[in-house]
Amino acid sequence: MSQALSQRLKIALIQLAATADKARNLSRVKEHVLKAASNGAQLVVLPECFNSPYSVAAFPQYAESIPSGETTKFLSTLARETSIYLIGGSIPERGDDGKLFNTSLSFAPSGDLIAKHRKVHLFDIDIPGKIRFKESEVLTGGNKITVFDIPPFGKVGLAICYDIRFPELASVAARKEGVFAMIYPGAFNTTTGPLHWELLARARAVDNQIYVLLCSPARDMTSDYHAYGYSIAVDPNANILTKAGEGEEIVYAELEPGFIEQTRAGIPITTQRRYDVYPDISASTKTSAV
Ligand SMILES: NC(=O)CC(=O)C(=O)O
């Protein structure tokens, strides 16, 4: 499927210093989103777990129902008031069956909820002496690949943090649905961030010759989880368009129509795949927005 970004798109990544105080987090989000919109951003991304600490203990305490919870309403109103596409990082969600998920909600400039992604791959790692984290102790994984349209720009794919380590999601979104960008709210840490954060952003971009956006919380060495920071936007050639530091900040980038086609014309891997040698996973995999 051909990939289309039909118009220049200015994006903003809000590298929020999320705290344990949900009201404060929401009020900081509002300030930053208003600023990004007044600077011309048309699509604004928030980080993973922007309204709570990123911790297994915090997920049940901060979990909300969707769409009836406070944060869904807050994000919808903010998208409408600023007339932007708002990619709402992620929040802990309490599903109807009582199960907990790490969930990202996206809103149109009208305030309508246009996508809901539940983190598919739960972050369960154990690197002795460095970091142990087991989302699966309290969370349940999602079961779909999320793709949605943001008219007039085209389609984007959405996944959360650890999902980026599984290239199939991005490949299906790019090949089957023709997304021009993959967006990953994500909270890597001071162990895995230096190893793989930028590498994975650039890898998913170059695998699929699409834009890739990663939005992290700011680093806070006083909290239990030390988020990496360095929110980043990468172009289809894996060039870095913008990159934050460790602290709270907003970074911007402009995504260009035509750059995907130009990249693919030069290095035509999209037409050179050998499905006679290996299967096309995108052919049989379903995607949806909600
Ligand atoms: N926090 C995550 O989900 C993933 C992460 O930190 C990593 O993959 O590293």
Side-chain angles (χ1 to χ4, degrees):
M1 177 169 293
S2 81
Q3 318 283 308
L5 168 59
S6 69
Q7 293 185 21
R8 219 174 161 81
L9 170 64
K10 183 163 179 177
I11 64 95
L13 309 175
I14 296 185
Q15 184 162 289
L16 185 81
T19 67
D21 180 343
K22 191 189 276 192
R24 181 201 176 273
N25 295 337
L26 296 183
S27 125
R28 292 290 289 165
V29 164
K30 184 167 182 176
E31 259 175 59
H32 286 309
V33 171
L34 289 173
K35 182 171 175 195
S38 73
N39 285 333
Q42 295 148 301
L43 178 141
V44 176
V45 188
L46 304 178
E48 181 175 27
C49 287
F50 67 87
N51 76 357
S52 70
Y54 183 62
S55 93
V56 167
F59 295 143
Q61 287 171 34
Y62 287 75
E64 296 182 19
S65 297
I66 293 172
S68 60
E70 172 190 10
T71 304
T72 311
K73 290 179 190 154
F74 165 84
L75 292 172
S76 165
T77 305
L78 192 53
R80 195 182 61 244
E81 284 175 358
T82 50
S83 277
I84 51 136
Y85 285 102
L86 184 54
I87 312 300
S90 79
I91 62 170
E93 174 196 0
R94 189 176 302 281
D96 292 341
D97 50 7
K99 287 185 182 156
L100 301 177
F101 304 89
N102 185 342
T103 302
S104 183
L105 302 174
S106 294
F107 297 85
S110 60
D112 290 341
L113 177 64
I114 48 173
K116 173 175 168 180
H117 179 78
R118 289 173 166 168
K119 189 174 189 172
V120 171
H121 303 92
L122 297 181
F123 180 47
D124 282 1
I125 66 161
D126 193 352
I127 306 176
K130 301 273 189 188
I131 179 171
R132 181 186 181 278
F133 204 97
K134 298 275 175 195
E135 282 190 324
S136 66
E137 285 172 358
V138 295
L139 299 182
T140 300
N143 58 10
K144 68 171 180 71
I145 294 179
T146 304
V147 169
F148 57 103
D149 202 11
I150 55 162
F153 304 104
K155 283 187 191 176
V156 294
L158 178 66
I160 301 175
C161 202
Y162 202 53
D163 286 336
I164 198 174
R165 291 187 181 271
F166 302 85
E168 291 85 352
L169 260 72
S171 295
V172 170
R175 281 192 224 154
K176 187 183 173 84
E177 298 285 353
V179 302
F180 67 83
M182 281 299 298
I183 305 173
Y184 298 93
F188 273 39
N189 50 76
T190 47
T191 299
T192 61
L195 285 171
H196 297 146
W197 175 257
E198 180 183 317
L199 176 72
L200 285 165
R202 300 184 69 202
R204 293 299 80 85
V206 83
D207 288 345
N208 301 294
Q209 298 174 307
I210 56 171
Y211 289 95
V212 173
L213 314 179
L214 269 54
C215 187
S216 171
R219 188 170 303 178
D220 175 4
M221 295 307 282
T222 67
S223 77
D224 291 342
Y225 187 84
H226 301 152
Y228 182 51
Y230 294 102
S231 296
I232 189 170
V234 174
D235 80 9
N237 243 338
N239 295 310
I240 296 173
L241 297 174
T242 189
K243 188 173 172 182
E246 292 168 5
E248 186 167 75
E249 68 176 296
I250 309 176
V251 292
Y252 299 90
E254 290 210 2
L255 314 193
E256 285 185 42
F259 195 64
I260 291 176
E261 280 73 16
Q262 193 186 314
T263 305
R264 290 177 176 187
I267 306 177
I269 56 170
T270 47
T271 57
Q272 293 168 330
R273 291 206 165 88
R274 292 287 309 275
Y275 296 129
D276 56 325
V277 175
Y278 44 80
D280 177 5
I281 48 155
S282 74
S284 57
T285 312
K286 288 203 183 105
T287 64
S288 74
V290 282

